[in-house]
Amino acid sequence: MNRVAIVTAGIALFALQALAAADQWPQFRGLQAGVAADDPTLPDTWSETDNVAWKTPIPGLGWSSPVVWDDHIFLTAAISSGTEKPPVPGLYDDQGGHRSTAEHRWMLYDVDFTTGKIRWERELRRAVPSYPKHLKNSFASETPVTDGELVYVYFGSVGLIAALDMNGRTVWTKELPLFGTNRNGAEYGSAASPVLHKNRLYIVNDNLTQSFIAAFDAKTGAEIWRTSREEAGNWSSPYVWENDLRTEIVVEGAVKIRSYGLDGKLLWEIKGTPLTSPTPFAKLGLLFLNAGYPANIPRPVYAIRPGATGDISLKADQTTNDYIAWYQPLLGTYNTSALVYGDHYYTLLDRGFLLCHDARTGKEIYGRKRLSAEASGFTASPWAYNGKVFVMSEDGDTFVVQAGPEYKVLGKNSLNDMSMATPAIVRGSLILRTQGSLYRIARKQG
Amino acid sequence: MMRRLICAVILASVSPIVSAQNAPFTPVGSIAVPGDMLRIDGGRAYLAAGNTLTILDISNPAAPKRAGAYELPDRIWGFSVKGSRAYMACDLHGVEILDVSNPAKVTRAGYYKTKGQAHSVDIFGKTALVADHMLGVVYLDISNEAKPVLLGSVFVEGYPRYVAVFGSLLYAVDSPAGFYVVDPAAAEPLDPLGAIQTADAGFGRVISIGMSDQSDTKGQKIAAVSGGRVLQIYDVSKPAAPVLLSTFATPGRGPRMAMKGRTAYVADNAQGIQVVDLSTPSKPRIVSSYKTAKPAIDVAVVDSLVYVVTGRDELLILRQAP
């Protein structure tokens, strides 16, 4: 009898935890790498006015994604006191970096999930930016992360980590060194988001001078370890991969893709590729690594099995090995992270093509399908629910594509404002950020 | 000793020009003008530098004259001129169509906003072909040039940098490695007829494509591409299957060139003009050169005249002896 009670209680607890997890979107792309649980109340269609629960103007510029915990939506921005050249959609190689001489305020906002009102806002830094950025980047592109007790913010552009409680009280801050990131004289700014795992906050700071990954005590900000990285300028966020064998921290890199143990020691590595922005993720027992600047060859995608050690790079005549389940040399993307939904691996090319591969084997299901010749670049990562894949262009147009082996565009939802931030999906709502506003998109009741 | 002397006399008789040069070039004229890229059309030279297009009257090569200029809203990455129209690929601004019939009063005839950076443009009939970073090779219907209409685009693997129409085909180059043969008259779905990726080509932002005037007796038609690590020579006799025949490093690794017949004229930076014989395309060889006082940036060849942009501030006109 006792055993039955314990088992029942265990099942109930597990169900509650699962429910709680599904109710939150605490980090970039959520806990399932852009996939939300099916929910018939989630919207398929919207516009600037249709299926909009609320729309809130957000001061400043920030391409960080919103994250959600209970009734709190957190997002960041940097507000210039001057007039800045606005970001321009589309794909281009920005050649110089854009320096601002105006004082900026680095902000964290807490927006009420129900009403859309800004519950509180905190200015975490006021300064003139030390380095330029790519025209399309912002000075607040790192997505915050939260555990429901504290929200953690990392502004790479000013080298600041801050932990605030849910009422906006600063619990701790940490200063990181600030270095340039680009070898060719053009500064693109920063973007790698912090990641939280079991009371530790992990930060990757790749730069020209002193690249590193570091672990901090999430409660106090104390640095636990720091490991140097032989890298110079990357924009990918780290990923904590909990697999059947161990938990490890995976970081893309131009020199090498590396995995570290929770003690910061190197576990395995693969030869990297220049300009890494996408974030690794795991599904179906595989880790997916993806990177590739259009003007580079190769642009690899790897599917990795757990348990690797040492250098697992492919030899010249190999396409697989003991730990690389499959490899595609030209499938990598510049900015968007890939999506695994069901059994399929979806690639959203920055130039507006969607491709589909078998996630387990890498076999092509369908090749490049152009979403629209009228679309500008794609930077936000794709997301999925209810048997549909959603991809949003920098114009703020979201194309709804049928999931599965047959490519079919089902519709397009326009917000007519530039967007590069990947949305949050929680409790029947899509929390979608454009250049000027934050939307809660939800089906109108009745 | 006697044989050497005879050779020297013979060489002197066929190379009567500047003693410091080993090529039969004679300076004809020059003019100070800002220039990075050069096109020659209808007795005029068109030079682009930054946002500015400058037009020169070169009807008298000995005395080129400034005829007009036009400021564009964004950086000119590439352009082409056909009669009274100049087609300008202007970075994120897009493609401008200019009426240059009166060079003293250039006016806009049309405009199209490309989705990405416009890097290069050429014309096939009523179609403008644009190297656009976002879409690839873009097809624009310019039947009504005031309102160009997007017809479609061809995807290229890298960043599209350069397009050039020769005869009935379009040739395109992307960065870092792709060379494409495209049907400019095709309709959707648009795909290249042929393509070749050369992993170590290293094509950068500044590219030129040259084409042999006609197929040789073996039917081999060749294209030369500059702007990579070395000059790339392709056999394009079969558009569906271009073949890399050879590569060749000129001493200055100049990124721009012009072709006349099977001879490539490379604007070879500080090395001046290098004349490369491609008659045996598997074995290119430098046959002559001309050392310009300032770095050679771009070059065009019309009949016996060789036009060279030097130092980004001068157009130099040379006459090549037959």
Side-chain angles (χ1 to χ4, degrees), chain A residues 93 95 299 351 370 374, chain B residues 77 115 117 153 157-158:
Chain A
D93 49 352
Q95 291 196 35
R299 303 185 291 274
R351 286 176 279 181
R370 173 160 276 153
E374 297 295 334
Chain B
W77 278 107
K115 289 295 176 185
Q117 279 172 311
S153 61
E157 289 287 347

Side-chain angles (χ1 to χ4, degrees), chain B residues 193-232:
Chain B
L193 296 170
I196 179 171
Q197 300 286 329
T198 308
D200 59 353
F203 294 135
R205 291 190 176 91
V206 180
I207 299 284
S208 290
I209 303 175
M211 187 68 54
S212 60
D213 286 346
Q214 55 192 17
S215 302
D216 65 13
T217 51
K218 295 177 189 169
Q220 193 179 52
K221 186 177 174 186
I222 61 167
V225 179
S226 61
R229 294 193 177 92
V230 291
L231 200 62
Q232 311 265 327

